[in-house]
Amino acid sequence: MKQTNYHLFDFMDFDPTLQRDESLWKAYAPTKIVERDGDIIITIPYQKQRHQEDMEPDTGTPQQTYDLIIRAYEPNIIRLFTTMTDDEMTDHDEMLEMAPVVRRQPLRLHGSVCCDIVAANDKKLATINLEAPRLDHWSDLLPAPQPAPFITFYPDGDTSKPVALSDDHFSPPRYDALPLGFCSVCCDTVAAPKPERATISFQSDADEHFVGTGERFRKMDLSGQTFQLKNQDGQGVNNRRCYKNIPFYLSSRMYGVFYHTSDYCKLSLADHSARSVQFMCDRATLDVFLIGGQNPEEILRGYRMLTGFPAMPPLWSFGIWMSRMTYFSADEVEDICHHLREEHYPCDVIHLDTGWFRTDWLCEWKFNPERFPAPKAFISRLKEQGFKVSLWQLPYIAQGAEQLEEAKQNKYISQPTKEEDTSTGGASNFSALDYAGTIDFTYPKATDWYKYTLLKPLLDIGVKCIKTDFGENIHMDHQYHASTPERLNNIYALLYQKAAYEVTREVTGDGIIWARAGWAGCQRYPLHWGGDSESSWAGMAGSLKGGLHLGLSGFAFWSHDVPGFHSTPDFMNSPLDEQVYVRWTQFGVFTSHMRYHGTCKREPWHYPEIAPIVKRWWKLRYRLLPYIVEQSELACQSGLPLVQALLFHHPHDRQVWHIDDEYYFGNELLVCPVMNADNRRDIYLPEGPWVNFLTGECLEGGRWYYQVEVPLDQMPVFVRPDAVIKMYPHDVDSTDDMDLSQSTDITITHNFKGITL
């Protein structure tokens, strides 16, 4: 659709030709406000607008009235709920996993013309302004503005941080945002117009910044951008497509918003209008949580209190994972494992990607009997050497798969809605296989079949992790037991990953998966990685951007393919850039999990000129594991991720809302990856003294250092004086060799000379 610069068409998705029989309804001023069972119920009339690009009330059509429910929870959460489709508000579903500390706060009304909503602790949480607007009448050239609900919220009771509904217009006919509204569409089979989508908008400030919304491969400040929250194959990390859309954003004014829905939706962060944040849901229900706090961590903790805290991954998962796309035999894998141990490259996990089946990509959850003739013994031999095995699979059943007939007959997979189904909704980018259906996790019997028939036999023989690849796409022209495909698409990742995580934890004792897609709640099931990045400087930079925004969307653990997944210009066959390999390795050491994976050789000994540098950084990774575990345990109980945007620690420093190539790793280490071939980078150090963790050099913060030279075997990592970093005292081959009680504390004193690589 071509952009029209009219709110009706560009944001509300109306047909620009006005040929579709659809109507816009605008919220008017409340007609009734009551307290009921501790909630505040606001009755809001909606006025139909004429079917034209300029808004004008259709006074010949009776108004429709819907209630807006305002509910409060401790701590610092306000919920807004309204529906035009008879949906019910619930505190329990797949997305919501409210912590015990989240408790209802009874609300009461105070006043009449300016009606305050006050909590039981006497905090004012909202104001409803019922006053008539002030006028100094001069002209009748334009019509008077249409009425609106003027409601302002204070999620944490701080009245200096208002979050107000936005009735945003240039002139009464020219609206740029609606405080509340919905659309109705006439259907041939329904006599009355059917509400189809709904919108809500909040006022934004001219200097407001926004972050979050999922694994967004964009600049740090998302202000001025509009996003379709619709999961799809990202096909890289440098475009607007997104594997992990999360309907949550964080504002620099220190509030967050979680839109509780799995429907397709749209979010405009001061884009369609610089005065408004606008949200539109494809279903005519709005369920919105406003989360207050004094800093980003507090707000993200509030979000996790609603949707769940991350589980702690096992120690071995923080070691190095070695993989390619793909290893094709037990002999090949054992040769690589022997090489790793013989040359003392520390490593914990061997991942088998698409080639462990009888036919590459033909996922049947069974080892190829010729290339992997005795899988249990094979996995046992690797275990004796300190290696865990991870396996690739996907949630689709291919034509020709051994399980196809069973899945069809029992309706474990989605069912075509047409006699001849031509959908390839689950097809990969690399395989010509036709996938007959998507495993239907809305059906409990299908979920159990996946867990106990497909996965459990693999876990029983010693597999430690399942790579829950794909899941951002499903068969859209199929039917599912308990959902339409449109409502299932976004939340499918959550249902899929939950099933794999639960059976893995049940059988192995370790709660872990390796997942690509994501939606609200997926952070409960670590861990997630960034998808198919290009092996280039752009791919490295895009990966970090995505990881920073994902950490600002409730996820604690995140990884990426070192040194990028695919080559350029030949996707499968162009050789790696060895500088990229080294720099991505250094970056990977300081992320929560570290996996080598891609379309050609990833083992370091294939690159002898840089292999010694790589080995030293691998050894540093293992020496840092006590610190990484400590920070991970903290992240599981707070609002912090492992890879933290600078704004977590310096929210009032305006610089950091624009910095997306530096980050904190845990609370202590400030990491500045080099992402170019020049061996230089600009470094920003926040206020205060800093010490280079590798060299011991002392620098003063609150300023930029430009064009800093960084030799290939170095990377700038900074720490505060007096910080204490837990480290392991000697080198190991795997975490099986570690006893974390032997960890030592490195205190950054004036005598600190840096960590020797």
Side-chain angles (χ1 to χ4, degrees):
M1 181 185 295
K2 293 182 179 178
Q3 183 169 301
T4 68
N5 293 324
Y6 280 86
H7 170 262
L8 186 71
F9 305 133
D10 295 341
F11 190 74
M12 296 303 298
D13 288 342
F14 270 62
D15 175 13
T17 68
L18 298 172
Q19 297 300 304
R20 190 177 185 218
D21 194 356
E22 54 189 344
S23 301
L24 177 66
W25 298 75
K26 181 187 184 298
Y28 271 23
T31 56
K32 185 179 180 182
I33 307 171
V34 298
E35 181 274 327
R36 187 171 68 213
D37 298 329
D39 293 337
I40 303 301
I41 313 299
I42 305 174
T43 301
I44 295 181
Y46 289 78
Q47 180 65 62
K48 183 181 177 182
Q49 305 296 301
R50 294 191 180 279
H51 197 49
Q52 58 192 39
E53 61 187 26
D54 281 340
M55 285 181 58
E56 179 184 352
D58 180 357
T59 55
T61 301
Q63 294 181 345
Q64 294 188 19
T65 300
Y66 298 97
D67 287 340
L68 173 67
I69 302 172
I70 300 179
R71 177 175 292 177
Y73 301 84
E74 294 179 321
N76 303 330
I77 296 170
I78 297 174
R79 187 178 191 177
L80 315 177
F81 181 88
T82 188
T83 181
M84 298 83 189
T85 60
D86 297 323
D87 288 338
E88 293 185 0
M89 181 163 52
T90 179
D91 285 351
H92 307 281
D93 66 10
E94 292 291 351
M95 285 172 282
L96 292 178
E97 191 174 277
M98 292 189 181
V101 295
V102 177
R103 297 185 298 271
R104 290 272 302 275
Q105 272 205 92
L107 299 173
R108 67 179 189 272
L109 296 168
H110 178 74
S112 54
V113 177
C114 275
C115 184
D116 291 337
I117 298 175
V118 181
N121 58 9
D122 292 327
K123 281 187 178 180
K124 182 167 73 172
L125 297 185
T127 298
I128 307 170
N129 187 351
L130 300 174
E131 289 185 305
R134 294 181 58 193
L135 296 175
D136 182 8
H137 188 78
W138 175 69
S139 172
D140 293 320
L141 180 64
L142 290 172
Q146 296 185 51
F150 294 106
I151 310 176
T152 303
F153 305 95
Y154 315 101
D156 57 1
D158 184 347
T159 56
S160 69
K161 301 189 304 181
V163 183
L165 293 180
S166 176
D167 191 53
D168 182 353
H169 57 275
F170 165 68
S171 65
R174 297 288 173 92
Y175 276 81
D176 290 320
L178 301 180
L180 289 161
F182 71 93
C183 303
S184 64
V185 178
C186 284
C187 303
D188 294 337
T189 57
V190 180
K194 177 185 177 184
E196 185 184 74
R197 53 198 188 273
T199 185
I200 186 171
S201 303
F202 299 109
Q203 293 178 14
S204 64
D205 286 351
D207 60 350
E208 192 168 352
H209 310 299
F210 304 96
V211 294
T213 79
E215 190 183 35
R216 198 63 61 192
F217 307 122
R218 316 297 280 183
K219 297 288 188 180
M220 179 55 61
D221 180 14
L222 300 177
S223 178
Q225 299 189 56
T226 296
F227 302 107
Q228 302 280 349
L229 301 185
K230 177 182 179 180
N231 282 358
Q232 56 187 305
D233 190 332
Q235 298 178 358
V237 298
N238 298 102
N239 59 70
R240 65 173 59 189
R241 293 183 294 270
C242 194
Y243 305 103
K244 307 175 191 67
N245 288 280
I246 308 298
F248 170 86
Y249 72 83
L250 171 71
S251 163
S252 60
R253 291 200 292 117
M254 290 304 107
Y255 75 93
V257 180
F258 167 47
Y259 300 97
H260 174 219
T261 183
S262 65
D263 292 286
Y264 294 150
C265 40
K266 185 189 294 190
L267 180 61
S268 172
L269 299 170
D271 178 18
H272 284 265
S273 169
R275 296 176 295 206
S276 302
V277 173
Q278 301 178 66
F279 175 81
M280 185 183 70
C281 181
D282 271 8
R283 186 172 179 83
T285 293
L286 297 167
D287 192 7
V288 182
F289 290 85
L290 304 178
I291 306 168
Q294 296 305 304
N295 55 62
E297 186 277 328
E298 191 175 332
I299 295 165
L300 266 298
R301 186 170 4 119
Y303 171 74
R304 287 181 181 170
M305 286 177 184
L306 293 172
T307 60
F309 284 81
M312 181 68 184
L315 171 63
W316 57 261
S317 73
F318 295 103
I320 288 170
W321 300 47
M322 180 54 66
S323 173
R324 278 191 226 168
M325 195 190 90
T326 181
Y327 300 135
F328 286 105
S329 71
D331 289 343
E332 181 184 17
V333 171
E334 293 196 78
D335 180 64
I336 288 166
C337 290
H338 174 76
H339 208 139
L340 287 164
R341 291 291 179 258
E342 187 76 13
E343 299 193 15
H344 298 290
Y345 285 95
C347 182
D348 267 80
V349 185
I350 292 295
H351 172 71
L352 308 185
D353 216 59
T354 62
W356 61 281
F357 313 112
R358 62 181 173 87
T359 301
D360 190 23
W361 286 93
L362 183 60
C363 178
E364 295 180 301
W365 292 271
K366 292 185 178 181
F367 281 90
N368 182 309
E370 295 180 358
R371 291 182 279 160
F372 295 89
K376 184 175 182 179
F378 161 69
I379 293 170
S380 180
R381 289 193 299 273
L382 295 183
K383 180 181 178 181
E384 290 173 359
Q385 301 173 63
F387 292 103
K388 282 69 177 175
V389 172
S390 166
L391 293 181
W392 177 92
Q393 49 85 83
L394 39 60
Y396 318 115
I397 304 295
Q399 297 285 2
E402 177 184 314
Q403 298 89 355
L404 180 59
E405 286 309 310
E406 178 188 11
K408 279 184 174 181
Q409 289 175 10
N410 292 282
K411 298 186 177 180
Y412 294 152
I413 59 174
S414 56
Q415 304 296 304
T417 54
K418 296 178 292 186
E419 185 175 341
E420 290 188 9
D421 172 46
T422 58
S423 168
T424 54
S428 76
N429 299 323
F430 315 110
S431 166
L433 289 174
D434 179 21
Y435 289 92
T438 299
I439 298 175
D440 186 356
F441 291 107
T442 71
Y443 183 35
K445 289 184 178 180
T447 302
D448 286 346
W449 176 74
Y450 171 75
K451 292 167 70 171
Y452 299 111
T453 301
L454 302 184
L455 297 193
K456 187 176 183 296
L458 299 168
L459 299 167
D460 283 339
I461 64 171
V463 171
K464 297 290 283 187
C465 179
I466 300 298
K467 178 178 174 180
T468 48
D469 204 357
F470 294 87
E472 59 280 315
N473 292 332
I474 64 174
H475 285 77
M476 296 303 296
D477 57 354
H478 283 204
Q479 60 186 3
Y480 298 81
H481 277 77
S483 179
T484 65
E486 291 77 15
R487 302 202 74 195
L488 179 61
N489 191 169
N490 283 335
I491 203 173
Y492 184 83
L494 177 59
L495 306 179
Y496 168 35
Q497 292 160 23
K498 178 183 179 183
Y501 178 90
E502 287 179 344
V503 70
T504 301
R505 183 181 58 186
E506 176 185 331
V507 175
T508 71
D510 291 334
I512 188 168
I513 54 172
W514 189 277
R516 187 169 80 173
W519 191 254
C522 282
Q523 76 276 357
R524 302 194 297 260
Y525 311 113
L527 59 104
H528 294 75
W529 103 102
D532 297 340
S533 53
E534 178 184 77
S535 183
S536 66
W537 302 116
M540 184 177 169
S543 294
L544 178 53
K545 288 180 172 71
L548 290 172
H549 280 295
L550 194 68
L552 287 158
S553 305
F555 287 70
F557 303 106
W558 167 82
S559 188
H560 44 95
D561 289 341
V562 184
F565 174 73
H566 71 91
S567 302
T568 53
D570 188 310
F571 191 96
M572 302 293 289
N573 302 306
S574 292
L576 292 174
D577 182 314
E578 294 189 3
Q579 270 192 285
V580 171
Y581 191 109
V582 172
R583 293 304 192 188
W584 209 316
T585 291
Q586 295 165 346
F587 161 45
V589 166
F590 294 90
T591 49
S592 81
H593 289 78
M594 188 176 181
R595 183 183 75 160
Y596 286 76
H597 184 63
T599 56
C600 60
K601 299 182 184 71
R602 290 299 186 264
E603 300 79 22
W605 52 83
H606 294 295
Y607 310 95
E609 291 190 11
I610 60 170
I613 300 175
V614 170
K615 183 185 289 187
R616 290 197 294 271
W617 283 90
W618 284 24
K619 290 179 181 292
L620 176 61
R621 169 72 181 189
Y622 276 74
R623 291 173 63 197
L624 284 169
L625 285 185
Y627 170 80
I628 294 171
V629 169
E630 173 192 64
Q631 296 297 311
S632 297
E633 290 172 343
L634 174 63
C636 290
Q637 304 165 25
S638 67
L640 294 168
L642 265 290
V643 172
Q644 304 170 9
L646 299 189
L647 62 89
F648 270 104
H649 295 270
H650 312 281
H652 303 297
D653 183 340
R654 294 172 66 91
Q655 295 269 7
V656 303
W657 289 86
H658 302 280
I659 293 177
D660 52 32
D661 62 353
E662 299 180 17
Y663 60 95
Y664 278 88
F665 183 51
N667 282 339
E668 304 295 344
L669 300 174
L670 175 58
V671 183
C672 306
V674 177
M675 295 189 284
N676 61 64
D678 301 328
N679 292 327
R680 297 173 179 269
R681 66 156 293 153
D682 297 341
I683 295 172
Y684 178 74
L685 295 179
E687 197 75 30
W690 292 91
V691 179
N692 188 308
F693 187 57
L694 299 184
T695 68
E697 179 186 10
C698 297
L699 295 172
E700 193 60 34
R703 56 160 293 185
W704 283 94
Y705 292 84
Y706 294 103
Q707 292 296 295
V708 177
E709 288 194 34
V710 185
L712 184 62
D713 63 347
Q714 298 288 312
M715 182 178 71
V717 180
F718 297 93
V719 64
R720 294 286 195 184
D722 300 323
V724 178
I725 308 296
K726 284 188 178 300
M727 297 190 70
Y728 206 68
H730 54 262
D731 293 338
V732 296
D733 284 339
S734 78
T735 57
D736 282 1
D737 302 332
M738 299 182 82
D739 175 2
L740 292 185
S741 68
Q742 297 181 13
S743 303
T744 59
D745 290 342
I746 306 298
T747 303
I748 311 302
T749 67
H750 66 280
N751 294 319
F752 179 72
K753 302 300 182 184
I755 297 297
T756 303
L757 280 175

